[in-house]
C-alpha cells in the first residue's frame, strides 16, 4: 500500500493535527465519546475525525464507530468536509456529514475556533446483529455539541432570554438574571449570534453497507430490492420482496432497467464513449497479461497493450471482446453487438443515470465490473483497496501509476466525463423503462442500437 500512499491515492487529503491546542481539544472530545485519549502529539484525521495513527495506537479500527452502526465524529475544523471518510460501514455517512458541515459552516467555524465539536450519527439501531436489522435504518440524526456544551448552553440561554422578555416581573428576578449572565459569559450574545445547528435529520432509504459481506438496499425506487454481495440465502428472511445477489446478473440488470437507474455509456450525452471504452479495454488487458505472466507494470503504454492483445489472440477475455465489438459500432460503423446481461462485458457498458441514487448505482456497477480499476477506485474504494492487496506486483504498479498520473491530475473532470454532473446539478432521473426482453438489457432488445 506504500505506493498508493506516496501517490496520494490512499490517506490522501487527511487533515494534519500537530498544534498542542488542537491535540488537547481532540483528546477532550475523544475522552467524552469513548473514555480514551491519545498520547500522540501529531496525527492525521479524516472527515469524521478518525485517525489511522490513533487507531493503530489503540489497536481499534472502530474507536469512533462502536459496533459499526453509530458513527461518532470529532470536528476540529470545517476544512474536514473535503477530507475522505475512512472505514465507512455505510455509503451514506459521508454525504450526511458533508451536508451537515456545509449547512452549518458559519456556526461550526465559530464553534471550532474555541473548542472541538463532538457528535454522533444517531439512529434507532445500536447493534446490527442480524441482516433484518438493516431495515430499521430509516432516518439518521446528527447530534453534535462542543465538549463544553456551547450549543446546549446557548439553547438554555435563549429560553431564559425569552422568559425574561415575557415575564412582567423578570427585571426583579435576581436568580434569572444571574443565570443569564453566567451563561452569556460562556456562549456570547445569542440574540445577535445564535448558536444553532440546522439540517440535522436525514432520510436513509437507500444505501450500501459493509455488514454481512456487503448489501445494497434500494427502498425509494418504484420496485424496491436488496442486492447481496454474497449468496442471498445466507441472509435469511428479509422484509423485502425482491432479494438478489451478484451472481443473479439478469435479475440485477432487470432491477436497474425497470427503475431507470442505469444506461448504456454509448447513449450518455456529452461523453466520449469511444475513449471510455478503450480505457476499460486497457484495464482488462492488464489483468489478462499479468495473469498469464506477460510483462506489464508502471509506464506500460497503450501500444504495448495492443501488442499484448495481439499475442493473446483467441485467449482475449470475453469482457475485452464484448467491449471491442461495441467500440467497432461506435467508431467504425460495425454491427450492433447483441449483448444481454449474460455477457461478461454487459455491466462494463453501463453507467448510472442521473438522480439521487447515481453514486450508489455506480458503486454497485463497479462491484459488477471489477476489472475497470478506475471506476472501482472512484466509486468503491473499500473494495479497491481489498482487491489491490491481492493483485500481482506488475498490475499494482500499472494501476498506481495510471491513477496517480491520469486521474489525480483532474479528478472532477474525470468524474464528470465518466458519470455526468453531480446529482445536485443534474436534471431529474428519467422515467423507468419497461420494454424488457427475456434476458433484460438494451443490447439484445434494441434493433440497430436505437429505441
Amino acid at each position: 500500500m506504500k505506493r498508493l500512499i506516496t501517490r496520494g491515492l490512499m490517506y490522501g487529503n487527511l487533515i494534519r493535527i500537530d498544534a498542542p491546542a488542537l491535540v488537547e481539544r481532540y483528546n477532550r472530545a475523544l475522552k467524552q465519546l469513548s473514555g480514551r485519549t491519545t498520547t500522540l502529539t501529531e496525527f492525521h484525521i479524516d472527515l469524521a475525525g478518525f485517525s489511522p495513527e490513533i487507531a493503530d495506537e489503540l489497536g481499534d479500527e472502530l474507536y469512533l464507530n462502536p459496533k459499526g452502526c453509530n458513527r461518532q465524529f470529532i470536528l476540529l475544523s470545517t476544512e474536514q468536509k473535503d477530507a475522505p471518510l475512512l472505514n465507512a460501514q455505510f455509503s451514506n455517512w459521508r454525504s450526511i456529514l458533508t451536508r451537515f458541515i456545509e449547512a452549518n459552516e458559519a456556526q461550526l467555524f465559530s464553534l471550532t475556533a474555541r473548542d472541538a465539536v463532538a457528535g454522533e450519527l444517531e439512529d434507532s439501531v445500536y447493534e446490527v446483529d442480524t441482516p433484518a436489522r438493516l431495515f430499521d435504518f430509516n432516518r439518521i440524526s446528527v447530534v453534535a455539541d462542543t465538549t463544553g456544551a456551547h450549543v446546549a448552553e446557548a439553547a438554555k440561554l435563549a429560553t431564559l432570554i425569552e422568559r425574561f422578555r415575557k415575564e412582567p416581573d423578570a427585571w426583579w428576578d435576581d436568580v434569572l438574571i444571574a443565570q443569564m449572565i453566567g451563561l452569556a459569559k460562556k456562549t456570547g450574545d445569542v440574540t445577535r449570534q445564535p448558536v444553532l445547528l440546522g439540517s440535522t435529520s436525514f432520510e436513509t432509504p437507500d444505501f450500501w453497507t459493509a455488514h454481512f459481506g456487503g448489501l445494497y438496499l434500494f427502498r425509494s425506487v418504484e420496485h424496491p430490492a436488496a442486492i447481496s454481495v454474497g449468496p442471498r440465502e445466507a441472509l435469511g428472511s428479509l422484509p423485502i420482496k425482491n432479494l438478489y445477489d451478484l451472481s443473479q446478473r439478469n435479475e440485477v440488470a432487470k432491477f436497474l432497467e425497470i427503475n431507470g437507474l442505469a444506461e448504456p455509456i454509448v447513449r450518455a450525452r456529452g461523453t466520449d464513449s469511444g475513449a471510455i471504452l478503450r480505457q476499460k479495454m486497457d484495464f482488462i488487458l492488464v489483468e489478462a497479461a499479468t495473469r498469464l505472466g506477460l510483462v506489464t507494470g508502471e509506464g506500460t503504454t497503450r501500444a504495448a497493450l495492443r501488442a499484448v492483445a495481439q499475442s493473446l489472440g483467441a485467449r482475449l477475455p470475453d469482457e475485452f471482446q464484448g467491449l471491442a465489438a461495441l467500440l467497432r459500432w461506435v467508431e467504425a460503423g460495425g454491427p450492433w453487438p447483441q449483448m444481454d446481461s449474460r455477457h461478461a462485458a454487459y455491466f462494463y457498458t453501463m453507467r448510472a443515470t442521473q438522480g439521487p441514487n447515481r453514486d450508489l448505482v455506480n458503486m454497485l456497477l463497479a462491484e459488477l465490473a471489477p476489472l475497470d480499476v478506475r471506476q472501482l477506485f472512484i466509486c468503491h474504494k473499500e473494495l479497491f483497496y481489498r482487491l489491490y492487496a491481492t493483485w500481482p506486483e506488475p498490475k499494482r504498479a500499472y494501476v498506481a501509476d495510471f491513477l496517480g498520473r491520469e486521474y489525480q491530475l483532474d479528478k472532477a473532470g474525470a468524474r464528470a466525463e465518466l458519470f455526468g454532473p453531480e446529482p445536485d446539478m443534474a436534471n431529474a432521473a428519467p422515467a423507468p423503462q419497461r420494454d424488457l426482453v427475456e434476458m433484460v438489457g438494451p443490447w439484445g432488445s434494441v434493433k440497430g442500437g436505437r429505441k
Side-chain angles (χ1 to χ4, degrees), residues 153-421:
E153 298 288 8
K156 184 177 180 180
L157 176 57
T159 300
L160 294 179
I161 292 172
E162 188 66 17
R163 175 182 161 192
F164 179 82
R165 287 171 171 170
K166 289 184 177 180
E167 292 183 3
D169 297 329
W171 279 104
W172 292 274
D173 190 336
D174 293 337
V175 174
L176 174 62
I177 293 174
Q179 287 179 320
M180 292 169 56
I181 292 174
L183 288 172
K185 288 179 180 179
K186 185 175 184 180
T187 66
D189 186 353
V190 297
T191 60
R192 293 186 179 182
Q193 295 179 321
V195 183
L196 300 172
L197 296 176
S199 298
T200 59
S201 186
F202 303 87
E203 298 285 346
T204 57
D206 312 308
F207 57 82
W208 164 88
T209 177
H211 290 280
F212 308 105
L215 182 73
Y216 294 82
L217 186 57
F218 295 87
R219 292 180 290 182
S220 68
V221 296
E222 187 174 353
H223 303 281
I227 301 174
S228 171
V229 174
R232 58 176 180 159
E233 294 80 10
L235 299 180
S237 177
L238 296 181
I240 195 167
K241 179 181 178 181
N242 299 311
L243 172 61
Y244 312 121
D245 62 45
L246 297 189
S247 69
Q248 297 176 281
R249 294 172 60 87
N250 184 54
E251 288 79 0
V252 173
K254 180 178 180 180
F255 162 76
L256 296 173
E257 177 83 3
I258 64 175
N259 287 295
L261 293 175
E263 64 180 356
I265 294 170
V266 295
R267 290 192 195 155
R269 294 182 179 179
T271 64
D272 185 349
S273 58
I276 294 174
L277 292 173
R278 286 184 182 279
Q279 190 60 70
K280 289 174 182 282
M281 292 164 65
D282 285 353
F283 296 144
I284 294 168
L285 279 176
V286 169
E287 165 67 17
T290 54
R291 189 172 65 247
L292 295 172
L294 301 178
V295 177
T296 57
E298 183 175 338
T300 299
T301 65
R302 178 159 286 169
L305 289 175
R306 281 199 298 268
V308 168
Q310 292 171 359
S311 65
L312 288 176
R315 294 180 295 169
L316 283 166
D318 291 341
E319 294 92 341
F320 181 93
Q321 297 196 44
L323 293 181
L326 184 57
L327 183 63
R328 286 193 293 272
W329 178 81
V330 170
E331 296 186 344
W336 176 255
Q338 296 299 309
M339 188 186 306
D340 58 37
S341 53
R342 290 170 297 191
H343 199 289
Y346 178 81
F347 290 108
Y348 289 88
T349 70
M350 305 297 288
R351 78 172 195 178
T353 54
Q354 297 302 314
N357 280 320
R358 187 198 72 166
D359 290 346
L360 184 61
V361 173
N362 279 328
M363 186 178 189
L364 172 61
L365 290 173
E367 192 138 18
L368 289 161
L371 299 183
D372 184 351
V373 293
R374 177 172 55 181
Q375 178 162 331
L376 190 66
F377 177 79
I378 296 172
C379 301
H380 202 332
K381 283 189 172 57
E382 291 80 6
L383 180 58
F384 173 87
Y385 294 136
R386 189 163 72 248
L387 293 179
Y388 179 91
T390 68
W391 293 338
E393 175 60 23
K395 181 173 179 178
R396 288 202 296 262
Y398 172 87
V399 171
D401 178 61
F402 173 85
L403 293 175
R405 179 170 38 84
E406 299 284 341
Y407 173 66
Q408 290 285 80
L409 291 178
D410 185 11
K411 297 179 184 179
R415 289 179 63 90
E417 175 68 17
L418 292 170
F419 312 123

